[in-house]
Amino acid sequence: MTLQLQDPFAEGGNRLCFVHPENPERCIKVRRPDFSLEERRRQKGFPKNLKPLSRFDDNREEAAVMTGLARRYGEPIYRHVSRCYGFVATSHGPGLISELIRNEDGTIASTLKKLLWDRGMTPECDRAIGDLCSFWEKLAVPSRDLLLHNLVVEQTRSGASRIVVIDGLGSSSLIPLALLPSYFARAKARRKVKNLRERIDGLLEARHTGVYPGLRGLLLHDGRVDPQDKGP
C-alpha cells in the first residue's frame, strides 16, 4: 500500500517531513524532488564526490546509522535520539518513518534554534541542554556537528523537559568511529558538545539583532491532530 502524503510540516535542505497519515506520533521523511542525488554529489569536493550515489541519500544513511546506534547502545540511546521504524512507500517516493516528538499539548516540538530565538535561555532549557551534553559525552555518541535546527525540545506545562536529536547522526570521518580507540570517540563527542554550546551562545547574541538567522528550524505548521477529524 502506498501512503498518500499531504502538506509537509517541515522542510530541510534535502528532505521534506510529513506527519504519518495513520499515526500522529510518527513522521515520514522523503527526499526533496528539486534536489537530485547527482546534484548533491556534484556539489561536494574531492574526495567526497567519489562516493557512490547511495551515500548521498539521507534516508538510507539515517536508517543505517540508526540501526548501528540501536545495536551499539540499545534502549538508552532513545532518551535523546528519535526512533527509526524503517521505510514505507508514499505518494512522494520512498519514505523513512521516525518518531515525531510532540509537546505535552500535542503540538510538534520546536527546534532548539526556534525556541531560544523566541524565549531566550530559560532555566528549564538550560537544564535540558546540560542533560543532552552530559549524555552525549558519557556515551560518546558518534555524530556530525550538533546543529540547533537538528535538535527539538519536548515541552511540558512547566517548560522544556528534554532535547532530542532528529538528524545529523553518524560519523563524518572516513574511518568509522567504532573502529577507533574509545578515547578518540570521547574526545570527538566533547568537541561536538563544545561546538554546540558555542552555537547556542552565538544565537543568543544574534537574537539582539532581531533578524532570524536563516529559515532552518521553522515549522510550516504544528501538525496538531483534531480528535474530531476521523479522516476520509
Side-chain angles (χ1 to χ4, degrees), residues 18 26 43 60 86 104 111 120 127 133 144 169 203 232:
F18 298 81
R26 297 182 182 180
Q43 292 185 1
R60 292 185 62 175
E104 189 175 15
T111 64
R127 184 161 50 249
C133 292
R144 298 177 177 86
L169 294 162
L203 179 67

Side-chain angles (χ1 to χ4, degrees), residues 110-119 148-149 203 212 216-219:
S110 295
T111 64
L112 180 58
K113 179 180 180 180
K114 184 65 166 59
L115 194 69
L116 288 174
W117 186 263
D118 288 345
R119 303 182 185 180
L148 301 183
H149 62 265
L203 179 67
Y212 189 76
R216 298 288 180 87
L218 296 176
L219 291 176

Side-chain angles (χ1 to χ4, degrees), residues 32-88:
R32 287 178 53 167
D34 57 337
F35 201 26
S36 69
L37 298 183
E38 290 82 2
E39 179 63 24
R40 287 196 63 194
R41 183 165 64 179
R42 276 196 296 270
Q43 292 185 1
K44 297 294 182 180
F46 181 83
K48 290 184 178 181
N49 58 6
L50 299 179
K51 294 180 179 180
L53 278 180
S54 61
R55 294 295 301 275
F56 296 89
D57 185 332
D58 285 356
N59 273 353
R60 292 185 62 175
E61 278 287 288
E62 181 175 325
V65 167
M66 291 307 301
T67 298
L69 291 179
R71 185 183 301 117
R72 182 175 181 181
Y73 299 104
E75 191 64 23
I77 193 66
Y78 299 118
R79 169 62 185 169
H80 290 288
V81 171
S82 59
R83 296 176 185 270
C84 181
Y85 300 99
F87 286 91
V88 65

Side-chain angles (χ1 to χ4, degrees), residues 117-162:
W117 186 263
D118 288 345
R119 303 182 185 180
M121 181 66 79
T122 65
E124 295 80 13
C125 191
D126 188 43
R127 184 161 50 249
I129 292 169
D131 288 345
L132 171 68
C133 292
S134 297
F135 176 90
W136 220 249
E137 289 191 45
K138 181 180 179 180
L139 269 67
V141 182
S143 68
R144 298 177 177 86
D145 288 331
L146 294 170
L147 303 180
L148 301 183
H149 62 265
N150 286 337
L151 313 179
V152 298
V153 187
E154 183 181 18
Q155 298 181 79
T156 64
R157 292 181 179 87
S158 59
S161 61
R162 68 169 179 143

Side-chain angles (χ1 to χ4, degrees), residues 133 146 148 151 192-200:
C133 292
L146 294 170
L148 301 183
L151 313 179
K192 299 303 180 184
V193 165
K194 178 176 180 293
N195 292 342
L196 170 61
R197 290 195 175 277
E198 290 175 354
R199 288 188 178 90
I200 290 171

